[in-house]
Amino acid sequence: MISKDSIETAYSFLHQKRNVYIHSSLHWQRDDIELAIMEYVGAMSPELYAAIAKDRQDFLRDHRRFQDDITEAVTELEKML
């Protein structure tokens, strides 16, 4: 069971980080955001992560796909609200 609170918390955190990430031209800032998100999803409810990752083990953990993944995560969490 995924609590509404955990969905709201994840959505707020990822939405805010995504907005900074997509508008940042600073490589160090984007790297810091990627690291923060990787740490966050590592501590996230496994059920919630599985729901937004759709069985992709590297979801939000692959530098090459990070921007697409974080946008997808925000969209999926928004649908769950």
Side-chain angles (χ1 to χ4, degrees), residues 7-71:
I7 296 168
E8 289 173 347
T9 300
Y11 174 78
S12 295
F13 183 72
L14 294 176
H15 184 267
Q16 185 264 346
K17 295 296 184 196
R18 179 193 154 276
N19 286 345
V20 173
Y21 187 89
I22 64 174
H23 293 101
S24 178
S25 60
L26 304 172
H27 295 292
W28 64 264
Q29 186 177 43
R30 291 170 67 101
D31 289 344
D32 285 354
I33 290 170
E34 287 184 37
L35 180 58
I37 297 298
M38 285 184 224
E39 289 175 3
Y40 183 81
V41 299
M44 178 186 277
S45 152
E47 295 85 11
L48 180 55
Y49 180 76
I52 64 172
K54 298 180 180 152
D55 296 324
R56 292 192 323 237
Q57 299 300 316
D58 65 345
F59 188 71
L60 292 169
R61 295 180 170 127
D62 182 346
H63 173 74
R64 294 165 295 173
R65 294 177 15 134
F66 185 80
Q67 186 166 335
D68 291 336
D69 284 356
I70 196 166
T71 298

